[in-house]
Amino acid sequence: MLTAACLSLCSCNGVQSALDPAGDEARQVATLFWTMTIGGLVIWAFVVLLSLYASRWKRQLISETAAGRVILWGGVVLPVTVLTALLSYALWLMPSLRPFAGGEDAHLRIEVVASQFWWRVVYQRPGENAVVSANEVRLPVGERVEFVLSSADMIHSFWIPALGGKMDVIPGRTNRLSLSATKTGTYRGQCAEFCGTSHALMAFPVAATEPSDFDAWLKVRSSPSAGIDANLDGRALFERKDCGDCHRVDGTAAQSGKGPDLSHIGSRLSIGAGLLENDEGTLARFIAHSASLKPGSQMPAYLHLSAEELAAIATWLKGLQ
Ligand code: CUA
């Protein structure tokens, strides 16, 4: 039991822990967890002590009236009170029951479309142009953000444990989730519903930053990267090899929305939806070996490209800051 307790407590910290909360909702979930755990332990200890008391130390008959009182208070009143309180609290925590569930006061809307096995992420501030990105979520701390979740193919589940509870993403339906980060940092989100071969590889980094840093970041992403006009060999190859049939790079002829948007991929925190670090080597590796790195993904492997060609495309992509 000690080992089990240690194992479960050792995993309380980290970028993907619901017990190391960095948001209002996650804090409520963690409070509920500790309330349930400590409450359960207290009741368990009480019942054990009571049965020891009755079976070892006080082995004598009690009157029928006293027995009736024990059953009434211990068997009816106490469980009904405790369970009603816990159930009410847990139900209140359900996203659709919260007072801010509609995101009325959200000045930032983030649309997330889940696909096998990546995330389209679109940032929308009222009265401003939408900014399209993929496979990572950035948000300002201290601000309530409304997530609008939909699916392009099958059931996925959007979950950032450090910020709040999970929400299923269902084809033909739009779900909403309201989250508010309270602590700057980089966390990890993960698809939490089995959705195919690479379900476990459908993750995304989450960066919660100061509002001014977030606004600066968003402003840069609202126009094409200066990098599109550098490393032109790579850009020519990208265009010649028809990468634009699936990807969009703002400011170029590549405008497809079939696959992840690559407009500013050079500055992303990871590539392949949380799969690899983002550098020129991993970019080249992913282009060549996507089929084995991410089984079942729609991206074909480009094994026929030479190492020089792969490096040129990777250099151009890394320059899209
Ligand atoms: Cu998407 Cu599991």
Side-chain angles (χ1 to χ4, degrees):
M1 190 180 151
L2 263 181
T3 319
C6 178
L7 275 176
S8 53
L9 288 175
C10 292
S11 51
C12 288
N13 298 317
V15 292
Q16 196 182 318
S17 172
L19 299 180
D20 189 7
D24 284 334
E25 287 67 28
R27 192 170 34 75
Q28 291 171 340
V29 172
T31 307
L32 177 69
F33 172 82
W34 290 117
T35 308
M36 294 270 196
T37 307
I38 293 166
L41 280 174
V42 169
I43 292 172
W44 176 78
F46 176 70
V47 171
V48 169
L49 283 176
L50 195 66
S51 47
L52 282 176
Y53 177 76
S55 61
R56 297 286 155 106
W57 302 312
K58 189 101 190 198
R59 303 183 64 169
Q60 67 190 52
L61 292 174
I62 58 170
S63 72
E64 209 161 293
T65 326
R69 270 205 303 271
V70 170
I71 291 172
L72 178 71
W73 288 99
V76 180
V77 177
L78 183 70
V80 168
T81 314
V82 170
L83 290 178
T84 307
L86 285 177
L87 184 68
S88 310
Y89 180 40
L91 283 177
W92 182 82
L93 285 181
M94 285 174 72
S96 58
L97 297 179
R98 285 185 205 139
F100 40 76
E104 294 83 11
D105 54 348
H107 294 292
L108 174 64
R109 209 170 87 158
I110 304 182
E111 264 177 56
V112 177
V113 183
S115 304
Q116 279 179 316
F117 301 96
W118 64 281
W119 312 84
R120 178 189 310 289
V121 183
V122 183
Y123 298 83
Q124 183 76 66
R125 286 239 194 238
E128 289 176 29
N129 287 338
V131 170
V132 186
S133 182
N135 294 335
E136 77 178 23
V137 165
R138 298 207 179 226
L139 71 173
V141 290
E143 194 179 318
R144 187 146 287 288
V145 178
E146 185 190 16
F147 286 88
V148 180
L149 309 166
S150 58
S151 167
D153 40 38
M154 57 206 310
I155 302 178
H156 304 268
S157 184
F158 179 83
W159 192 25
I160 309 171
L163 296 189
K166 67 182 86 158
M167 175 68 82
D168 275 0
V169 187
I170 300 163
R173 198 192 144 85
T174 302
N175 280 340
R176 278 157 209 278
L177 184 66
S178 175
L179 294 176
S180 173
T182 50
K183 219 161 65 176
T184 57
T186 305
Y187 312 105
R188 188 173 188 273
Q190 169 68 46
C191 179
E193 182 77 41
F194 182 72
C195 56
T197 334
S198 285
H199 151 72
L201 306 177
M202 190 172 166
F204 55 98
V206 180
T209 56
E210 292 298 338
S212 54
D213 294 342
F214 174 79
D215 288 337
W217 176 86
L218 195 63
K219 193 161 184 290
V220 170
R221 266 90 209 147
S222 62
S223 44
S225 163
I228 55 172
D229 293 321
N231 308 304
L232 291 171
D233 293 355
R235 176 173 171 172
L237 274 162
F238 184 89
E239 290 175 336
R240 197 151 13 99
K241 301 294 176 189
D242 300 325
C243 304
D245 285 358
C246 293
H247 296 286
R248 171 178 174 268
V249 176
D250 196 9
T252 71
Q255 290 294 323
S256 173
K258 223 156 122 192
D261 190 286
L262 303 179
S263 299
H264 293 269
I265 190 175
S267 60
R268 292 233 191 104
L269 299 168
S270 73
I271 60 164
L275 183 61
L276 298 170
E277 273 178 42
N278 184 357
D279 60 47
E280 289 174 25
T282 52
L283 280 164
R285 210 172 119 213
F286 192 82
I287 299 168
H289 301 284
S290 51
S292 51
L293 285 169
K294 203 148 187 178
S297 77
Q298 305 283 317
M299 165 121 177
Y302 281 80
L303 288 164
H304 54 283
L305 295 183
S306 70
E308 291 74 29
E309 289 175 317
L310 287 167
I313 298 176
T315 305
W316 182 65
L317 289 174
K318 187 62 193 161
L320 300 179
Q321 296 284 329

